[in-house]
Amino acid sequence: MDGRTKHCAEDLKRLRKNRGLCLARADQIGAALREGCGVNNEDTPAVTVDKVSDAVRRHAASLGPEQRLATLAALGLEGPRTRFLQGRQEWLAQQLERDFRTAQRRIDEGFAELALLLTAADEPTTAPPDSAWHTER
């Protein structure tokens, strides 16, 4: 995991506290997550939260079912909109028919994968023309 991805995962972990992303303030969203979600400095706080929520939902669709549910539930974007993370984790454990600690691991796994997807989204998919190899002799 490179530095940007690590910082993005840390930003996601900070956002899961309290009410999650569903009621987050724009100033609670870290720089790495903003960059991965395409947030500009000119965006209003409401637009910032909307862009991050949309990007998280869009990229979470690529995750496995358990990780997708864990990620969205931890951020308060799916399941009960309880005030605290612990309530959402308990709900998730019931949904997964697993232990509370397993639900915590699924959330951490989902955040790591989601951070990879968010930071890879803005990387170029093709090599620039100057980097093409060729035979000299």
Side-chain angles (χ1 to χ4, degrees), residues 17-52:
K17 296 178 182 172
N18 296 323
R19 295 188 181 190
L21 185 55
C22 66
L23 292 176
R25 294 188 328 258
D27 63 344
Q28 295 172 320
I29 300 171
L33 187 56
R34 286 172 178 262
E35 182 182 336
C37 296
V39 175
N40 303 317
N41 291 335
E42 297 83 32
D43 289 335
T44 65
V47 171
T48 298
V49 173
D50 286 344
K51 278 186 172 183
V52 172

Side-chain angles (χ1 to χ4, degrees), residues 4-81:
R4 282 185 27 211
T5 303
K6 181 180 176 186
H7 291 301
C8 188
E10 290 169 358
D11 289 347
L12 288 167
K13 287 179 182 181
R14 274 193 301 277
L15 274 180
R16 71 182 173 187
K17 296 178 182 172
N18 296 323
R19 295 188 181 190
L21 185 55
C22 66
L23 292 176
R25 294 188 328 258
D27 63 344
Q28 295 172 320
I29 300 171
L33 187 56
R34 286 172 178 262
E35 182 182 336
C37 296
V39 175
N40 303 317
N41 291 335
E42 297 83 32
D43 289 335
T44 65
V47 171
T48 298
V49 173
D50 286 344
K51 278 186 172 183
V52 172
S53 296
D54 291 344
V56 165
R57 286 181 191 275
R58 189 174 59 253
H59 290 297
S62 300
L63 300 174
E66 285 188 357
Q67 289 180 338
R68 178 176 49 250
L69 180 63
T71 301
L72 295 176
L75 293 172
L77 297 175
E78 193 164 312
R81 298 213 175 189

Side-chain angles (χ1 to χ4, degrees), residues 102-133:
T102 302
Q104 287 176 318
R105 283 193 301 275
R106 294 297 180 271
I107 291 169
D108 290 339
E109 292 166 0
F111 281 171
E113 290 294 321
L114 183 60
L116 278 170
L117 293 170
L118 287 168
T119 55
D122 59 331
E123 293 177 0
T125 55
T126 59
D130 296 344
S131 67
W133 66 274

Side-chain angles (χ1 to χ4, degrees), residues 62-99:
S62 300
L63 300 174
E66 285 188 357
Q67 289 180 338
R68 178 176 49 250
L69 180 63
T71 301
L72 295 176
L75 293 172
L77 297 175
E78 193 164 312
R81 298 213 175 189
T82 60
R83 184 172 178 193
F84 297 109
L85 173 61
Q86 184 174 351
R88 293 189 303 273
Q89 286 177 325
E90 289 169 355
W91 176 84
L92 177 62
Q94 291 172 351
Q95 298 302 307
L96 298 176
E97 297 178 353
R98 299 285 186 261
D99 182 69

